[in-house]
Amino acid sequence: MADTDPDALEREIERTRVELARTVDAIADRVSPKRVAERSVAKVKANAERLVGGQHRQARPGEEGQAGVWEEYPPRDISPVLMVVGAALVVGAAVLLFRRRRRS
């Protein structure tokens, strides 16, 4: 059932205390505003490199989700997206102009 040996209980309490202290330290490090900002900046830089460069790059050790292998980021062709956005803007502007002229 329960461990009634005082020495064993003290060791278990100390082990639990050490584990809890490590967990609290890890949580504090993870939610630290400085660490959050560093991770955000690193993520933005990686996305910018991927979007602009479209070149091969080696993952750096310690990056989240990276195993230190070469990854290929093919350049994205965003021209279809830009054409759709442009067409939507033209149609939207035409509708607004048409409605204003009808009211006058």
Side-chain angles (χ1 to χ4, degrees):
M1 279 207 205
D3 232 352
T4 55
D5 181 26
D7 293 332
L9 285 174
E10 284 181 23
R11 285 190 301 273
E12 181 65 28
I13 290 170
E14 183 60 25
R15 218 178 3 251
T16 303
R17 187 195 66 75
V18 168
E19 185 178 320
L20 181 60
R22 285 184 190 148
T23 303
V24 169
D25 288 344
I27 291 171
D29 185 56
R30 184 158 194 114
V31 299
S32 159
K34 182 179 178 181
R35 297 288 186 218
V36 171
E38 288 173 354
R39 283 192 304 271
S40 297
V41 167
K43 203 177 275 189
V44 167
K45 283 182 180 180
N47 288 339
E49 286 176 6
R50 189 176 68 191
L51 182 65
V52 174
Q55 299 173 351
H56 298 284
R57 74 174 187 86
Q58 185 176 11
R60 294 178 192 95
E63 279 185 297
E64 287 185 20
Q66 305 299 324
V69 297
W70 283 90
E71 289 191 356
E72 179 179 342
Y73 293 113
R76 293 185 179 176
D77 184 19
I78 61 171
S79 58
V81 175
L82 293 176
M83 287 190 296
V84 169
V85 169
L89 288 173
V90 168
V91 169
V95 168
L96 285 175
L97 286 173
F98 181 73
R99 285 185 180 176
R100 284 187 181 172
R101 288 188 181 181
R102 270 186 103 183
R103 288 184 190 166
S104 298

